[in-house]
Amino acid sequence: MVADRFGDGTPWHVDLDVLPGAVADRVGVRVLPLHRAARVWLPAGAADRRRSGHGPLGALDAVSLTRSTTWRAPLG
Protein backbone atom coordinates (compact mmCIF):
# COMPACT_ATOMS: atom_id res chain seq x y z
CA MET A 1 0.00 0.00 0.00
CA VAL A 2 1.33 3.42 -0.89
CA ALA A 3 -0.20 6.73 0.11
CA ASP A 4 1.02 10.27 -0.39
CA ARG A 5 0.84 12.55 2.63
CA PHE A 6 3.09 15.51 1.92
CA GLY A 7 2.58 17.41 5.14
CA ASP A 8 -1.00 18.55 4.65
CA GLY A 9 -1.55 18.43 8.41
CA THR A 10 -4.48 16.03 8.37
CA PRO A 11 -4.55 12.71 10.21
CA TRP A 12 -3.95 9.59 8.14
CA HIS A 13 -6.41 6.87 9.10
CA VAL A 14 -5.51 3.30 8.14
CA ASP A 15 -7.99 0.46 8.63
CA LEU A 16 -5.81 -2.49 9.67
CA ASP A 17 -8.63 -4.98 9.06
CA VAL A 18 -8.26 -4.54 5.30
CA LEU A 19 -4.53 -3.82 5.14
CA PRO A 20 -2.58 -6.65 3.49
CA GLY A 21 0.43 -7.52 5.62
CA ALA A 22 -1.08 -6.57 8.97
CA VAL A 23 -0.71 -9.69 11.08
CA ALA A 24 -2.41 -9.96 14.48
CA ASP A 25 -1.29 -6.88 16.38
CA ARG A 26 1.66 -5.94 14.15
CA VAL A 27 1.99 -3.65 11.17
CA GLY A 28 5.00 -1.89 9.69
CA VAL A 29 5.03 1.70 8.45
CA ARG A 30 7.83 3.03 6.29
CA VAL A 31 8.18 6.79 5.82
CA LEU A 32 10.02 7.68 2.64
CA PRO A 33 11.33 11.25 2.51
CA LEU A 34 10.31 13.61 -0.25
CA HIS A 35 13.30 14.55 -2.40
CA ARG A 36 13.99 18.28 -2.47
CA ALA A 37 13.73 18.36 -6.28
CA ALA A 38 10.43 16.42 -6.47
CA ARG A 39 7.91 18.33 -8.54
CA VAL A 40 4.80 18.06 -6.39
CA TRP A 41 2.42 20.60 -4.91
CA LEU A 42 2.81 21.05 -1.16
CA PRO A 43 0.69 22.90 1.39
CA ALA A 44 2.31 26.15 2.51
CA GLY A 45 3.72 24.73 5.78
CA ALA A 46 5.32 21.73 4.07
CA ALA A 47 6.67 23.90 1.24
CA ASP A 48 8.27 26.21 3.84
CA ARG A 49 9.84 23.22 5.64
CA ARG A 50 11.22 21.89 2.36
CA ARG A 51 12.73 25.27 1.45
CA SER A 52 14.31 25.72 4.89
CA GLY A 53 15.81 22.20 5.05
CA HIS A 54 19.02 20.94 3.54
CA GLY A 55 17.96 17.43 2.62
CA PRO A 56 14.87 15.37 1.83
CA LEU A 57 11.64 16.23 3.65
CA GLY A 58 10.37 13.44 5.90
CA ALA A 59 8.77 13.28 9.33
CA LEU A 60 6.47 11.19 11.45
CA ASP A 61 5.13 13.35 14.26
CA ALA A 62 2.97 10.86 16.16
CA VAL A 63 1.30 7.47 15.96
CA SER A 64 -1.79 6.33 17.83
CA LEU A 65 -3.83 3.16 17.67
CA THR A 66 -7.56 3.36 18.15
CA ARG A 67 -9.61 0.19 18.37
CA SER A 68 -13.17 0.34 17.11
CA THR A 69 -15.87 -2.14 16.26
CA THR A 70 -17.91 -2.14 13.09
CA TRP A 71 -21.21 -3.96 13.25
CA ARG A 72 -22.54 -5.44 10.04
CA ALA A 73 -25.98 -6.92 9.51
CA PRO A 74 -27.64 -8.14 6.33
CA LEU A 75 -30.38 -5.87 5.07
CA GLY A 76 -33.60 -7.28 3.76
Side-chain angles (χ1 to χ4, degrees), residues 44-71:
D48 290 343
R49 284 195 305 274
R50 183 161 74 164
R51 277 193 296 276
S52 66
H54 300 300
L57 177 63
L60 179 61
D61 297 327
V63 174
S64 64
L65 177 63
T66 304
R67 178 169 279 170
S68 63
T69 302
T70 302
W71 295 92

Side-chain angles (χ1 to χ4, degrees), residues 2 5 8-9 13 20 22 25-26 28 30 33 35 37 39-40 45-46 54 56 63-67 70-72:
V2 174
R5 298 300 280 214
D8 65 1
H13 299 278
D25 62 348
R26 301 182 63 130
R30 187 181 334 179
H35 191 276
R39 297 178 68 180
V40 296
H54 300 300
V63 174
S64 64
L65 177 63
T66 304
R67 178 169 279 170
T70 302
W71 295 92
R72 294 190 174 106

Side-chain angles (χ1 to χ4, degrees), residues 11-31:
W12 181 34
H13 299 278
V14 179
D15 185 354
L16 298 181
D17 289 340
V18 298
L19 183 65
V23 178
D25 62 348
R26 301 182 63 130
V27 65
V29 176
R30 187 181 334 179
V31 177

